[in-house]
Amino acid sequence: YDSGRDGYIDLMELKLMMEKLGAPQTHLGLKNMIKEVDEDFDGKLSFREFLLIFHKAAAGELEEDSGLLTLAKLSEIDVSTEGVKGAKNFFEAKVQALSSASKFEAEIKAEQDERKREEEERKHRRAAFRELKSAFTQ
């Protein structure tokens, strides 16, 4: 669905995807879908953010009326229509996605830890500056 081949799914590409899946959304609904998993606030979905949809769906973290939950449910497979071989391919891809998701979770945790460390460092520098400033103002 990445018709622009830029590595992201933007609003119009997501709109096309949802229409092809048989669950068209309003522009506001599409924006809310992107907003729900858009970690870098760029208004489009990276591959990591796309995987986050399925991670949140599996964890029950998506709202019942969420377009993302609809997307996750529509990507499930029915063995009676796809056959065993189709299901095998689906589940192999799912296993690969889950292993990517655990790597993804580790990356998110590392990023969060880095942000916390930077914030603590900033607080420490501010406190040191205030202390130095107070020495000059007395």
Side-chain angles (χ1 to χ4, degrees):
Y1 293 100
D2 181 17
S3 59
R5 301 214 182 272
D6 59 355
Y8 296 92
I9 295 178
D10 63 26
L11 183 80
M12 294 311 289
E13 292 165 340
L14 182 60
K15 179 179 187 285
L16 178 65
M17 179 191 309
M18 294 304 289
E19 287 172 355
K20 286 190 176 190
L21 287 171
Q25 302 286 317
T26 64
H27 278 260
L28 183 60
L30 293 165
K31 285 181 181 180
N32 287 336
M33 286 172 66
I34 291 173
K35 190 183 205 180
E36 198 168 343
V37 291
D38 189 13
E39 295 183 321
D40 54 7
F41 307 108
D42 62 355
K44 51 191 176 182
L45 299 176
S46 67
F47 183 66
R48 279 179 47 158
E49 292 163 343
F50 187 75
L51 290 177
L52 185 58
I53 295 168
F54 301 98
H55 176 72
K56 283 186 167 194
E61 296 174 3
L62 296 175
E63 294 186 25
E64 199 60 40
D65 62 344
S66 169
L68 294 179
L69 186 59
T70 304
L71 174 63
K73 285 181 179 178
L74 287 172
S75 66
E76 292 177 356
I77 192 166
D78 182 5
V79 177
S80 63
T81 59
E82 294 295 324
V84 176
K85 185 168 174 86
K88 176 184 176 277
N89 294 338
F90 174 81
F91 287 114
E92 285 175 350
K94 204 68 150 165
V95 166
Q96 185 177 3
L98 288 174
S99 65
S100 296
S102 61
K103 180 180 175 189
F104 169 67
E105 288 173 351
E107 289 176 7
I108 289 174
K109 176 93 170 104
E111 288 174 8
Q112 290 172 341
D113 290 345
E114 178 65 19
R115 280 190 218 127
K116 286 179 185 176
R117 188 193 59 75
E118 288 173 357
E119 184 61 33
E120 288 297 320
E121 188 176 309
R122 233 179 274 129
K123 286 179 184 177
H124 179 68
R125 284 195 314 258
R126 284 183 189 144
F129 178 77
R130 285 188 194 116
E131 193 176 307
L132 187 59
K133 180 181 172 186
S134 68
F136 283 103
T137 56
Q138 290 180 350

